[in-house]
Amino acid sequence: MNAKLDNVTTQYRKFNENQVLTDGQLNEFIDYFEDQDRLSRTLLSGVGIVCGFKSTITSSSLVPDVMEKIAPRKAENALDTIVITQGAGVTTDGDLITLRTGKEKSSDVTIDFDTKNYRYFREYKDKVRYDHFRIGEEQIPLLELATEDELKQMEVKGLDTGSFKDIKTLEKLNEKIIILYLESYSNDETPCEDADCDNTGAEQVSDLKVLLADFQSVSDLMTSGNAKDTLYKIHNSYEELFDRLPNIEAKRVILDPKVETADQLKRKFRNAMDSVSKLSDGFGAIADTFKIDLNFSGLSLFNKLNTLLSASSPRLDDFQYRYDLLKDLIDTYNEIKGLILHLNVECCPTIASFPKHLMLGYVVGTMELGEYAAFRHGFYHSSITTQDDENYERLMLLANRFVQKINGFQSYIGPVKITPSNLYVRLGEKAIPYYYNVDKPLLDKWNFEKTKTDRETYNLSYHTANLSSEDYVQNPLNYNIDNNDFYRIEGHLGLPYETAVQNINDLKVKYGLAFDVSVLLLNDGKKTDDEPEEPRKVSIEELRNKLLSISNDISKETGDPKNALLNLSKLDSDLKLLNKAKFETPSGSSDDVTIVKEDPKKEEISTELLSDFLERKSGLEHLSGVEPGGTFVLIAESKANNQVIADFSLSYLCCSKKDPVFLSLPSGKLCQNEKPVLMTIVPLDGQVKAFVNGTEISAITQTGGQSYFDPALVGAAYLGQTITFTVNDDPVDTQMVVYKKPEIVSVASGSITYSTPTTDPNTTDPDATVEFNVTGDFTDLDFTWNFGDGSQIHYNELPTNKKTHTYNLVSGQEETFHPTLTVTNKNGCSNVYELSPLKLKGQSTIACLSGMRIVVQFRYGPDGTHTCNRASFNLLGNGVLIEGTKPYSDPVIKGNIHLSNTKGNQDAGNIIPGGHPSSRYNEIIITQEEAEALAAGANEGFVQFSLDCAMPPSIGCHTGVAFTQLFLANDSTPIYSGYPDGNFLEINPCTGVTR
């Protein structure tokens, strides 16, 4: 079987009018567009499994659950079903594969389902001789899977199904590999029958087969089969490489007070360099996979690394830089390792890799996130669909940079120099360190982005000879360094610390850089406790001998240039003593010898013992430089052995005990109940202590690396007294006084008095007066009352045992108030007392009901016409008859509300003077006694009014709704005006609110 893309059609014919078309012309047209479609998939999208196609073995009784999530299950039921989820994939011949279910018409299928459940199998023989399933002339053993529905369809079509067996009879099913195979072939052309030849032509068949194969057979197929799956083999090798690469991280060099000699410090660095064997194995595997040339002048990678880094190497005067080399190599190794699983891009996938099949992996494939699945095709992207297309180039550059750094390491000696760099980025984005030979091979491999854009000479480095001649590259500190968060400081190792500090400070001042330089000594250089330290001295004879030795070193063509430079620096240090010395001629010495004593009072550079420093501070890290705003710390053995042997840094400005300290507080007085206040301290990590009359008190807290003064921690005995402070045990001028908060015994609400109901028709007063009781010592206090009702706050009142306040309430309505009392003393300290919530309910419903006018009327015109004589009612309140101040007492006409206008026996003739003759008007004024009765039956201030029919039940009343108005006594504006629903009205007589 030939793949479609083995021969690509690149042209087709344009059809003309009335043209007779041949089969070649039509097939050429179809082939052209089919080839373009396939090429678009493989070259512009990618090949392999896009998604889905997950599988497991389960029982048929568990299939519905499995459909929710494919995962291995344990069940007592027999495992008789292979479940495969729907998915999508593309072969290297451009076939788009999904699972299918056949329909009645053989050429039609459906793909709209979640899973397929395969329960049957039979041996499979490939009739089209697909090379990818063959080793030589033999096909590997394959099993064809079928679902229950597929077997039924085969039986309907008359096909043989007797060779299929139940899957549960298969042994070692979980060791089988699932393969989706698109069996593609051309059926012979069907002869034309009768007069209809429209459907003739060779049928092109693409039949999807779900196959099983033993993993050993698939392995043999990969290694010795007729067609090699190069794509899978390459990308599978990346997965296998990643899994076997060791995890390597650089150890930190952590200083402790026991480090007292140079050898002990060097041992600290050497002990951190124990990754040689792992690094050799890991990078060796990378080099083998990607064919990296390991040219180390005949040495193996392990021997070369061992020579540079091993603790068994000869004395290392530059041990710090060799440790830095190891860190660089580990960083590069881990960056390479991080790219290996992202090499899933193929520009032109090989057509012969898997042209008509996809491997899905083992039958039981958990496919957890990030988990590698053997014998499963991944998706190998086209370069246009991902940003990972350059990962292979990045990896190759990094691997070659790894080799170049090993070959380019050098023990260089040069002047002190500061280079802007970055700290929290990958190595390639940092400045190239001092200890590399910055030649073209290293520059080409240092930074991928710069090399890609032909700007490799625009990297920054201590060494600038091979860099761009642009001044901002040659002298970067003269230009904007906003994007740099680190200064590399190099060239100071081996110099006397006095000289190194002077050089670094000169550069710091020259370029306006923000960091400090400090010196720590490993020991004090004393001989013994009982032998006094001798003053430093210089004699003429010693100077003469040193000058001769230096002259000899310089004049030699061969020699140790580092030793010559070191001797020169020591001579310079000795000569500087002449500027701060007093001269003495010792007894017994010749006249031409003079001893020079150093005046200790004129010491220029402050030093501190490492052990003393570590008692107060921590955080020393070796970074070969310092962050802006940090401290660069030089390490020397002693004042006698004053060569700089290592450097560390702190991320903050730090100083010795002799450096000035500072403390500031936002205020000089606080109240006992105020929140903690932030203290401004120099140095930032300074230790603050608080004292009262020489006694230390615990009032300092630490939060988020900052110091706070907490007045709540000041004991009662120290309130009102002056508090002083020290920073790093040095006193500062800042002072503080904490005052006691005011206290009273108690405050609570007392009696509640509601307004007394009255018969005055003009009174509607639901308010309540509350009395507040306060007890305690009121000396030098004032009160601020907030009654919680929105009324005016009463500030700075003289204290009193009782305070009254009237709350404006709504009759029948309950409200909750939250009163507070703020007590303030003469020092301005306040204490807020929150009283219990106060619930009050308006109580003057009687006053609102007393004298209320209730008007019920029929208005001829606005209320329509009215001819009914059955319109006599009784006005009820809470179900009780309301007669009012003027009861209606006609013995004939029943009821007290009359709307009849028919002039019949129930027509009371109650016409408003001047009104329409057919209108009727009724008014009832509630008496005081009735108001009290209604208020007693009120529900949360609401009263129920209704009109009850006054006619005999056999006659009844009409059901129309009367126009009703309610007026408070002597008020011309009604609180209600309308048509009560069903002649029933529930209303709060004080607010007019209905419900």
Side-chain angles (χ1 to χ4, degrees):
M1 178 192 67
N2 292 326
K4 294 284 187 180
L5 295 180
D6 281 345
N7 297 294
V8 177
T9 301
T10 60
Q11 63 184 25
Y12 65 93
R13 298 176 186 273
K14 182 178 180 181
F15 306 141
N16 297 321
E17 186 176 358
N18 299 322
Q19 175 184 349
V20 176
L21 299 177
T22 66
D23 62 328
Q25 291 169 334
L26 287 173
N27 289 332
E28 181 185 59
F29 178 85
I30 294 172
D31 289 344
Y32 174 83
F33 285 102
E34 183 182 11
D35 289 346
Q36 293 299 311
D37 185 41
R38 291 172 177 271
L39 288 170
S40 295
R41 287 196 199 108
T42 60
L43 300 183
L44 300 184
S45 296
V47 296
I49 297 175
V50 178
C51 60
F53 293 147
K54 299 179 182 180
S55 62
T56 192
I57 312 171
T58 187
S59 166
S60 57
S61 63
L62 296 176
V63 165
D65 293 333
V66 174
M67 291 174 64
E68 296 179 6
K69 180 180 179 183
I70 292 295
R73 286 182 177 268
K74 293 181 179 180
E76 296 178 358
N77 309 60
L79 299 179
D80 59 3
T81 305
I82 296 176
V83 181
I84 305 177
T85 64
Q86 180 62 288
V90 180
T91 69
T92 53
D93 197 33
D95 296 298
L96 179 58
I97 293 181
T98 60
L99 294 180
R100 316 169 177 181
T101 296
K103 304 185 78 173
E104 292 182 2
K105 188 177 179 182
S106 60
S107 60
D108 292 343
V109 297
T110 181
I111 62 173
D112 187 16
F113 53 83
D114 294 326
T115 60
K116 289 197 71 173
N117 310 314
Y118 296 89
R119 297 187 59 191
Y120 305 99
F121 76 96
R122 70 179 175 185
E123 292 185 3
Y124 175 75
K125 291 297 181 183
D126 180 23
K127 58 185 176 182
V128 296
R129 296 182 62 83
Y130 184 49
D131 275 347
H132 285 70
F133 292 160
R134 294 180 174 273
I135 301 176
E137 292 299 317
E138 295 294 325
Q139 174 191 299
I140 65 171
L142 293 172
L143 302 176
E144 179 184 356
L145 298 180
T147 66
E148 194 166 349
D149 289 340
E150 288 173 346
L151 286 189
K152 291 178 180 178
Q153 289 180 6
M154 292 174 68
E155 291 172 351
V156 169
K157 295 177 181 179
L159 301 177
D160 178 29
T161 60
S163 57
F164 280 96
K165 301 177 184 178
D166 200 300
I167 276 179
K168 62 186 176 183
T169 64
L170 268 177
E171 295 182 357
K172 298 182 179 180
L173 183 55
N174 61 341
E175 296 182 6
K176 304 289 185 184
I177 308 299
I178 301 178
I179 301 173
L180 299 184
Y181 170 46
L182 196 63
E183 188 181 66
S184 302
Y185 57 91
S186 177
N187 276 337
D188 293 336
E189 183 175 349
T190 304
C192 179
E193 298 179 357
D194 300 326
D196 184 6
C197 294
D198 291 342
N199 295 323
T200 62
E203 182 182 25
Q204 304 300 307
V205 179
S206 292
D207 190 7
L208 182 66
K209 301 291 185 181
V210 182
L211 307 176
L212 292 183
D214 294 327
F215 77 93
Q216 188 59 54
S217 298
V218 178
S219 297
D220 295 341
L221 197 65
M222 290 291 175
T223 56
S224 51
N226 294 354
K228 305 297 189 297
D229 190 344
T230 55
L231 267 182
Y232 173 78
K233 290 171 69 175
I234 290 173
H235 290 276
N236 184 60
S237 69
Y238 298 158
E239 294 275 3
E240 292 176 345
L241 172 64
F242 182 86
D243 288 342
R244 72 173 187 267
L245 287 179
N247 295 320
I248 308 174
E249 293 294 339
K251 285 186 176 180
R252 292 171 58 212
V253 178
I254 303 175
L255 298 179
D256 59 70
K258 295 180 181 179
V259 179
E260 296 181 345
T261 66
D263 285 339
Q264 290 173 340
L265 179 60
K266 293 173 185 176
R267 194 175 303 119
K268 282 279 186 185
F269 276 88
R270 288 173 179 168
N271 290 341
M273 298 161 63
D274 61 353
S275 305
V276 173
S277 179
K278 280 178 139 183
L279 191 60
S280 174
D281 292 343
F283 187 76
I286 293 171
D288 289 342
T289 301
F290 296 99
K291 305 298 184 288
I292 305 300
D293 183 16
L294 301 181
N295 182 12
F296 300 123
S297 303
L299 292 176
S300 67
L301 174 59
F302 175 79
N303 289 335
K304 182 65 175 180
L305 290 174
N306 199 48
T307 300
L308 289 173
L309 306 173
S310 175
S312 62
S313 298
R315 179 181 178 86
L316 303 177
D317 292 332
D318 51 4
F319 62 90
Q320 175 179 283
Y321 289 145
R322 294 180 187 265
Y323 168 77
D324 291 338
L325 168 65
L326 176 63
K327 285 177 60 180
D328 292 352
L329 294 176
I330 292 175
D331 284 348
T332 302
Y333 168 83
N334 284 325
E335 193 172 348
I336 293 171
K337 185 178 178 183
L339 288 172
I340 288 175
L341 294 185
H342 296 278
L343 302 178
N344 56 350
V345 179
E346 287 293 332
C347 177
C348 298
T350 306
I351 296 172
S353 287
F354 43 95
K356 295 298 178 184
H357 75 281
L358 290 172
M359 294 190 298
L360 305 191
Y362 285 97
V363 172
V364 181
T366 57
M367 295 298 295
E368 296 294 336
L369 181 65
E371 183 175 334
Y372 166 60
F375 298 112
R376 180 180 174 90
H377 283 119
F379 188 74
Y380 314 116
H381 295 267
S382 166
S383 302
I384 199 172
T385 65
T386 178
Q387 296 180 347
D388 292 345
D389 57 316
E390 293 178 342
N391 285 345
Y392 184 84
E393 294 178 7
R394 289 179 185 273
L395 187 148
M396 295 300 292
L397 179 139
L398 290 170
N400 284 292
R401 188 179 78 187
F402 187 98
V403 175
Q404 193 62 38
K405 286 189 296 189
I406 294 175
N407 286 325
F409 180 80
Q410 61 181 2
S411 297
Y412 186 81
I413 296 175
V416 177
K417 192 171 181 179
I418 301 177
T419 308
S421 183
N422 290 286
L423 186 59
Y424 306 105
V425 294
R426 297 191 181 277
L427 183 62
E429 298 176 49
K430 299 180 181 181
I432 304 176
Y434 167 85
Y435 42 82
Y436 291 129
N437 178 18
V438 186
D439 54 7
K440 188 176 187 305
L442 182 65
L443 284 173
D444 288 343
K445 300 170 183 63
W446 188 258
N447 182 291
F448 177 82
E449 297 297 335
K450 286 182 175 151
T451 299
K452 185 179 73 171
T453 56
D454 197 27
R455 292 176 59 83
E456 62 274 5
T457 60
Y458 286 79
N459 286 289
L460 298 183
S461 177
Y462 177 98
H463 306 287
T464 60
N466 294 319
L467 300 184
S468 168
S469 60
E470 297 275 7
D471 189 58
Y472 68 86
V473 176
Q474 296 290 321
N475 300 289
L477 290 176
N478 286 329
Y479 295 85
N480 181 24
I481 55 174
D482 289 351
N483 293 328
N484 301 103
D485 60 12
F486 189 72
Y487 305 129
R488 283 197 68 89
I489 303 177
E490 298 158 315
H492 54 281
L493 289 189
L495 293 178
Y497 65 77
E498 297 95 340
T499 305
V501 170
Q502 186 62 54
N503 278 269
I504 295 171
N505 280 333
D506 287 347
L507 292 172
K508 188 179 76 169
V509 172
K510 177 180 178 181
Y511 294 111
L513 305 180
F515 67 91
D516 272 352
V517 185
S518 182
V519 177
L520 297 178
L521 304 179
L522 301 182
N523 60 71
D524 57 12
K526 294 180 180 180
K527 295 179 181 179
T528 63
D529 292 340
D530 54 355
E531 294 183 19
E533 182 179 2
E534 295 184 1
R536 294 179 62 185
K537 59 185 179 180
V538 177
S539 70
I540 298 298
E541 184 63 29
E542 287 176 350
L543 289 175
R544 183 184 296 116
N545 292 336
K546 287 182 180 181
L547 286 170
L548 289 173
S549 175
I550 293 169
S551 177
N552 290 335
D553 285 340
I554 294 175
S555 62
K556 292 177 182 178
E557 293 185 4
T558 60
D560 186 355
K562 180 177 180 181
N563 187 61
L565 290 171
L566 179 59
N567 287 333
L568 275 171
S569 67
K570 288 183 176 180
L571 178 63
D572 178 67
S573 178
D574 289 337
L575 291 174
K576 284 181 178 178
L577 295 177
L578 299 175
N579 296 323
K580 51 178 184 177
K582 41 187 184 177
F583 294 81
E584 294 180 0
T585 302
S587 58
S589 63
S590 59
D591 294 339
D592 61 347
V593 176
T594 303
I595 295 177
V596 182
K597 284 187 178 180
E598 181 180 1
D599 185 353
K601 295 181 181 179
K602 295 183 179 181
E603 184 180 8
E604 294 180 354
I605 296 177
S606 174
T607 62
E608 185 177 2
L609 287 177
L610 174 65
S611 56
D612 292 342
F613 178 89
L614 294 177
E615 288 181 1
R616 300 183 294 107
K617 300 178 177 65
S618 61
L620 287 171
E621 292 284 351
H622 167 64
L623 301 173
S624 293
V626 66
E627 298 177 69
T631 304
F632 190 58
V633 180
L634 303 179
I635 306 291
E637 187 170 44
S638 64
K639 290 185 178 180
N641 296 322
N642 63 342
Q643 291 174 259
V644 178
I645 56 177
D647 61 65
F648 286 77
S649 69
L650 294 167
S651 59
Y652 51 88
L653 289 177
C654 182
C655 44
S656 69
K657 294 180 180 179
K658 297 180 180 180
D659 291 328
V661 294
F662 174 81
L663 184 146
S664 175
L665 288 167
S667 174
K669 68 173 186 176
L670 291 171
C671 296
Q672 182 185 9
N673 54 342
E674 290 189 59
K675 295 180 179 179
V677 294
L678 177 66
M679 297 188 293
T680 303
I681 306 168
V682 175
L684 295 177
D685 65 331
Q687 184 181 16
V688 182
K689 297 179 182 178
F691 299 86
V692 174
N693 296 327
T695 301
E696 184 177 356
I697 63 173
S698 298
I700 311 299
T701 61
Q702 291 283 333
T703 302
Q706 294 182 306
S707 296
Y708 292 81
F709 179 82
D710 190 350
L713 298 179
V714 177
Y718 305 114
L719 296 176
Q721 300 189 49
T722 300
I723 301 172
T724 59
F725 302 88
T726 64
V727 178
N728 291 342
D729 297 327
D730 288 337
V732 293
D733 296 332
T734 305
Q735 295 183 345
M736 168 66 68
V737 177
V738 176
Y739 293 104
K740 181 180 180 180
K741 66 179 180 181
E743 294 182 352
I744 56 179
V745 175
S746 68
V747 56
S749 56
S751 61
I752 302 174
T753 304
Y754 290 94
S755 297
T756 303
T758 175
T759 57
D760 185 351
N762 296 313
T763 299
T764 57
D765 184 12
D767 298 340
T769 300
V770 180
E771 182 178 83
F772 297 95
N773 300 315
V774 188
T775 60
D777 182 6
F778 301 156
T779 306
D780 297 323
L781 299 180
D782 58 42
F783 288 180
T784 296
W785 287 95
N786 182 346
F787 297 103
D789 59 350
S791 62
Q792 182 179 359
I793 298 175
H794 300 266
Y795 291 99
N796 304 326
E797 289 187 343
L798 291 177
T800 180
N801 290 102
K802 295 184 182 295
K803 177 71 174 180
T804 59
H805 178 70
T806 299
Y807 286 86
N808 296 322
L809 305 176
V810 175
S811 179
Q813 180 174 318
E814 185 179 82
E815 295 185 62
T816 302
F817 304 95
H818 299 274
T820 62
L821 170 62
T822 301
V823 181
T824 306
N825 62 21
K826 64 178 180 180
N827 296 313
C829 294
S830 298
N831 199 5
V832 179
Y833 292 86
E834 296 181 0
L835 282 73
S836 299
L838 190 62
K839 292 186 178 181
L840 301 174
K841 183 177 180 181
Q843 298 294 311
S844 296
T845 305
I846 296 174
C848 298
L849 288 168
S850 296
M852 174 181 283
R853 290 190 302 125
I854 302 176
V855 176
V856 182
Q857 54 185 315
F858 168 72
R859 300 172 300 173
Y860 189 88
D863 297 335
T865 60
H866 183 71
T867 58
C868 181
N869 195 37
R870 291 178 289 112
S872 295
F873 302 89
N874 287 317
L875 176 64
L876 306 180
N878 293 335
V880 178
L881 179 66
I882 301 175
E883 294 184 348
T885 57
K886 297 179 180 179
Y888 189 84
S889 59
D890 191 315
V892 177
I893 303 177
K894 305 300 181 183
N896 60 2
I897 300 296
H898 303 284
L899 301 179
S900 176
N901 60 0
T902 60
K903 298 182 180 179
N905 58 356
Q906 283 298 117
D907 190 343
N910 46 330
I911 304 171
I912 300 176
H916 193 280
S918 294
S919 295
R920 294 294 182 266
Y921 179 89
N922 301 266
E923 176 180 284
I924 295 178
I925 299 176
I926 296 175
T927 66
Q928 174 68 21
E929 291 76 16
E930 289 173 331
E932 292 175 358
L934 289 173
N939 181 11
E940 296 182 348
F942 285 81
V943 177
Q944 297 176 350
F945 295 97
S946 61
L947 294 179
D948 194 17
C949 182
M951 301 293 291
S954 59
I955 300 176
C957 295
H958 70 72
T959 56
V961 178
F963 178 74
T964 304
Q965 292 177 302
L966 274 68
F967 298 81
L968 297 181
N970 296 334
D971 196 341
S972 61
T973 302
I975 63 170
Y976 175 82
S977 182
Y979 300 87
D981 188 8
N983 287 331
F984 180 90
L985 176 66
E986 187 174 18
I987 188 170
N988 186 315
C990 294
T991 64
V993 176
T994 62
R995 69 180 184 186

